[in-house]
Amino acid sequence: MFDLLRIGSGAGFAGDRIDPAISLVENAQLDYLVLEGLAERTIALSQKQKQKDANKGYNEYLEDRVRPLLPSLLKNKVTLITNMGAANPIAAAKTILQMARDLNLTCKVAAISGDDVLNDLNFHHFETEDGKNLMTFEPIVSANAYLGVEAILPALEANVDIIITGRVADPSLFLAPLVHHFQWNQDDFDLMGQGTLIGHLLECAGQVTGGYFADPGLKEVNNLADLGFPFAIVAEDGKAIITKLPNSGGVVNTQTVKEQLLYEVHDPSQYYTPDCIANFSTTQMEEIKPNEVLVWGATGKRKPDTLKVSIGYHAGYLGEGMISYAGSTAVNRAKLAEWVINERLRANVPQLRTDLIGLTALHHTTYTHTTPYEVTVRAAALCKEEQTAKMIGHEVEALYTNGPAGGGGARKNTEEVIGIVSTFINRSAITIHTEIME
């Protein structure tokens, strides 16, 4: 009998659907379920929440997601691993324990921290995108290093029910249980590369089962409304079957797997992670049954000496306004409204951008010879001052009675913008903390 591990993906981003995760826990005979819930801006916004309230700063959907999962997780002995702790894994762990008590359940939770390096960062370093000094981006609100499997392994060895982390690299959330279960040598970088591939294929959840893939007439996906999330059946040598529950919607084939393999990967032959530099260009795959794709052959080399750090900073305020026009002369009235907005705001908002949604918004040129019957005018700008940003929505709303005929559905919005840049930090500067709670 081969030793196989079954690991599922129950979320690919903070606001993902919850029902597919519940189905996996109840029906896929999983050993582990991973909920990936952090994007670059997500943790910066969470840091701002934590600054206002020391008991907050974890993912806003944590309770909505974990509460319905808890009974099935504990009943089926499925270990949950999630980075939904965001800026405050300890508070998140306490929240989960309270949820368990409310449900008359008992569980053991590990909170992993150490990724917050704001106080350890050298602000005279340079960011990686444009080479600017980090001082350029002040005020900086967050700096979180991407941790790897070494952050999660102590909690796995403690045999906890739930592991909640902050910023851990997405593939590492899946790689850690593989390393733990199969006792892989972390210096076997080919194995680490193959495990990283599995994590990368699963990390976006429904994207590998047909979500963000379906294109009617070109790439058909069955019953997208009931899209099932993926799980992997992994052997000790790293070979894995990517699949989904048999009665769920969606599709797993070599095309969905290839698209996910290349998703957010700049160089498939050198995919940098905290655990290795993975080489996906050697990957092989085969559809062995409907909705079952066998993947193998990824390799890797040494782990990097430095870790990527995602830095969030206050970038200003986004002011936005929208108003719509309909009818045979909609385009001409929308163009007039666009001109009026620019005339009224150009002195105070020289960086204003206006778009005609339905005509030129995405590509800034018209690709159709037909005249749209409905057009929405959008005006927006990133401003240093909040009051300037508010002027944009105000002037758009004023088009109701101070603009072309027949404007409707006006709306306005002003919000703070968190910008993101990246830098690197030496591994030696990181101290990982594991707190076990019951």
Side-chain angles (χ1 to χ4, degrees), residues 418-430:
I418 298 298
I420 299 294
V421 292
S422 303
T423 190
F424 294 95
I425 193 170
N426 289 328
R427 286 178 178 272
S428 58
I430 304 294

Side-chain angles (χ1 to χ4, degrees), residues 74-342:
L74 298 172
K75 176 184 176 182
N76 294 293
K77 301 187 186 317
V78 178
T79 301
L80 175 66
I81 302 173
T82 179
N83 58 11
M84 293 178 73
N88 204 343
I90 292 175
K94 292 178 180 178
T95 299
I96 291 173
L97 287 174
Q98 185 58 54
M99 281 189 278
R101 287 190 285 268
D102 292 344
L103 296 168
N104 294 317
L105 300 169
T106 58
C107 64
K108 191 175 179 182
V109 183
I112 312 299
S113 55
D115 59 299
D116 185 345
V117 296
L118 183 60
N119 295 327
D120 304 305
L121 205 60
N122 184 341
F123 288 94
H124 293 289
H125 282 179
F126 299 92
E127 49 92 10
T128 59
E129 286 79 7
D130 297 310
K132 295 180 181 178
N133 191 293
L134 293 180
M135 300 285 286
T136 308
F137 299 95
E138 290 189 324
I140 290 176
V141 299
S142 67
N144 293 81
Y146 285 72
L147 306 182
V149 298
E150 76 284 349
I152 299 174
L153 289 175
L156 289 169
E157 291 160 4
N159 195 32
V160 301
D161 301 300
I162 296 173
I163 300 171
I164 186 152
T165 78
R167 180 76 276 176
V168 171
D170 298 352
S172 302
L173 298 168
F174 299 86
L175 178 58
L178 300 178
V179 172
H180 170 72
H181 181 82
F182 294 122
Q183 292 297 293
W184 282 352
N185 182 346
Q186 293 181 59
D187 291 328
D188 186 334
F189 295 117
D190 284 344
L191 264 182
M192 299 297 279
Q194 174 64 19
T196 297
L197 169 69
I198 296 167
H200 177 67
L201 292 177
L202 294 177
E203 69 186 42
C204 292
Q207 284 191 193
V208 82
T209 56
Y212 201 56
F213 170 86
D215 194 347
L218 298 174
K219 297 182 295 183
E220 297 294 342
V221 174
N222 179 58
N223 194 10
L224 188 62
D226 188 32
L227 182 69
F229 281 1
F231 64 97
I233 305 170
V234 188
E236 188 170 1
D237 63 1
K239 289 183 177 180
I241 296 171
I242 307 298
T243 186
K244 65 180 187 67
L245 290 171
N247 295 323
S248 63
V251 62
V252 180
N253 57 34
T254 55
Q255 194 172 5
T256 67
V257 174
K258 287 176 182 178
E259 286 198 14
Q260 177 57 31
L261 184 149
L262 296 173
Y263 182 72
E264 293 183 334
V265 173
H266 295 138
D267 182 351
S269 68
Q270 294 191 89
Y271 182 59
Y272 279 72
T273 79
D275 308 304
C276 68
I277 303 172
N279 180 5
F280 293 165
S281 69
T282 56
T283 301
Q284 299 184 62
M285 61 185 69
E286 178 185 357
E287 188 172 338
I288 55 176
K289 290 181 181 178
N291 295 310
E292 290 189 10
V293 175
L294 178 67
V295 294
W296 73 99
T299 57
K301 54 185 178 182
R302 63 172 183 84
K303 62 176 69 175
D305 297 326
T306 57
L307 298 175
K308 179 181 176 181
V309 179
S310 182
I311 297 171
Y313 66 95
H314 172 74
Y317 296 90
L318 174 66
E320 179 184 25
M322 300 175 69
I323 190 168
S324 298
Y325 297 89
S328 59
T329 61
V331 171
N332 289 335
R333 283 179 286 132
K335 288 180 178 179
L336 176 57
E338 184 180 32
W339 177 81
V340 169
I341 285 293
N342 278 284

Side-chain angles (χ1 to χ4, degrees), residues 317-321 385-394 412-417:
Y317 296 90
L318 174 66
E320 179 184 25
E385 303 297 332
E386 185 176 13
Q387 194 58 39
T388 305
K390 287 182 176 180
M391 292 174 60
I392 299 169
H394 176 77
K412 56 186 178 180
N413 179 57
T414 304
E415 62 184 32
E416 182 186 12
V417 174

